[in-house]
Amino acid sequence: MKRWLFTCALLACLSPFASADLLTPGSKLRITFRVDPAAPLPDTMTLDFGLVNVIAPYTVRSATLFDGATPLGTYSSTLFGNYAGALNLDPGASWKSPSSLWNFDNAIVVPFTSISGATIHGAIEFTIQTGSMDITLSQIYMTLNQATGPNTTFVSSPAPTIESICIESGDFTDFCPGDGSGTACPCGNNALLGSDTGCLSSLGVGARLAACGSASITGDTFALRGSQMPNSSALYFQGTTQVGSGSGALFGDGLRCSGGSVVRLGTLTNVGGVSQYPSTGQLAVSIKGALSAGDVRTYQVWYRNAAAFCTTSTFNLSNGLQVLWQP
């Protein structure tokens, strides 16, 4: 079970990340990504922001790179830390292999095998020590390179694919992953340990449920975003308990995580493996879920997976989320 602080601009959650949001010392930018085999073989990786608006000086910016739940290394820089105004942060953070010649902006050495081998289950958590900055989420991208010198590289292709991106600043608990750390998945289809998804589907990945926006009764911008699913129907639902004390119970090709008194929020059709509740014309979660300040609710997405896989069932589920609703 992992505890995150999570909020995200709704457009940034839905598709291509087209919003600006405020980063403060009480929040963090969290990015998940995947790496496909790239050429030339990369030995450096950067997180690039484009133009940001530094409202108040940030002093130090830091970015921790993860493979699943394992931190590989934290990049920190004071460069432009006393500056306020428009600032180009390309790169905003840099990592390199132990043998890389590259050293632009004090890149940090990390174990690079999972990156160059395209086996990393990647995540980055970016924070600032002081101040605040507006970040245009649609401008964020990542690059892979092979260094030819301290400041020169060949660009490796393809670039990493950003799967989700949010400014995290709310209160929720991520629980019931299908990675075998709780209840084992029904046919050995456990996800990568620490991946925070449901059990593997026929796609070879588990579905990821993330929370976006503000879980506030008076200012509800909260949304549930499901990804890494087949292009099929997806049912988003709300419960009052964590099934199996948070470990889940076998259900279809996956685990039932959210239980108790259940409200079906809505059914959507995944496009590109992604969907979100609420979408246009759908009731806010606080209204559909009949919520009040102080309520604790659990959430999950059920999705159709009709391919011959695992059990005779034709469905699977994501990880679970537990949310504390604010006034």
Side-chain angles (χ1 to χ4, degrees):
M1 184 169 67
K2 187 176 294 182
R3 190 168 183 81
W4 298 111
L5 297 175
F6 204 103
T7 204
C8 170
L10 292 180
L11 289 177
C13 270
L14 186 55
S15 97
F17 319 124
S19 177
D21 215 333
L22 186 68
L23 183 70
T24 66
S27 62
K28 62 187 173 186
L29 171 69
R30 186 169 192 266
I31 299 165
T32 62
F33 66 93
R34 76 169 190 270
V35 172
D36 296 318
L41 190 66
D43 63 6
T44 70
M45 187 173 73
T46 65
L47 174 64
D48 301 276
F49 286 82
L51 199 65
V52 302
N53 180 29
V54 181
I55 299 171
Y58 58 77
T59 311
V60 177
R61 67 180 192 269
S62 300
T64 301
L65 174 66
F66 292 84
D67 185 359
T70 303
L72 299 182
T74 299
Y75 165 94
S76 293
S77 177
T78 59
L79 194 63
F80 305 112
N82 293 316
Y83 174 83
L87 177 64
N88 193 308
L89 278 181
D90 282 342
S94 309
W95 300 269
K96 66 177 182 177
S97 75
S99 61
S100 178
L101 299 173
W102 202 61
N103 199 35
F104 183 78
D105 195 22
N106 299 314
I108 184 171
V109 176
V110 299
F112 216 79
T113 303
S114 62
I115 301 172
S116 59
T119 58
I120 187 172
H121 188 92
I124 296 171
E125 294 180 359
F126 180 91
T127 59
I128 53 177
Q129 189 178 84
T130 61
S132 60
M133 66 170 67
D134 267 320
I135 300 173
T136 303
L137 302 181
S138 61
Q139 291 183 0
I140 294 176
Y141 64 100
M142 299 175 66
T143 57
L144 292 171
N145 300 275
Q146 184 184 85
T148 57
N151 300 300
T152 56
T153 62
F154 288 121
V155 175
S156 298
S157 182
T161 299
I162 293 178
E163 295 176 328
S164 66
I165 179 170
C166 284
I167 303 288
E168 305 177 353
S169 58
D171 190 7
F172 79 92
T173 301
D174 190 350
F175 73 100
C176 188
D179 60 9
S181 59
T183 301
C185 293
C187 58
N189 55 324
N190 292 341
L192 179 69
L193 187 65
S195 61
D196 299 324
T197 70
C199 299
L200 299 183
S201 72
S202 63
L203 299 179
V205 294
R208 170 69 182 152
L209 180 63
C212 304
S214 175
S216 166
I217 301 301
T218 56
D220 182 6
T221 59
F222 182 77
L224 295 161
R225 181 181 189 267
S227 61
Q228 302 181 173
M229 295 180 284
N231 290 332
S232 58
S233 59
L235 169 65
Y236 290 77
F237 62 97
Q238 170 185 285
T240 54
T241 63
Q242 294 187 14
V243 175
S245 299
S247 293
L250 297 180
F251 190 46
D253 289 346
L255 301 175
R256 177 71 179 271
C257 303
S258 175
S261 180
V262 172
V263 175
R264 294 188 172 202
L265 298 173
T267 301
L268 296 103
T269 300
N270 297 319
V271 177
V274 175
S275 58
Q276 177 177 296
Y277 183 90
S279 292
T280 303
Q282 294 179 312
L283 292 175
V285 175
S286 60
I287 296 173
K288 184 72 173 182
L291 298 170
S292 301
D295 285 345
V296 176
R297 294 293 184 267
T298 56
Y299 297 92
Q300 197 172 12
V301 59
W302 173 105
Y303 63 95
R304 181 71 63 185
N305 187 195
F309 175 77
C310 198
T311 73
T312 56
S313 298
T314 57
F315 64 89
N316 205 330
L317 300 98
S318 69
N319 57 293
L321 291 173
Q322 180 169 290
V323 177
L324 171 62
W325 281 83
Q326 304 296 330

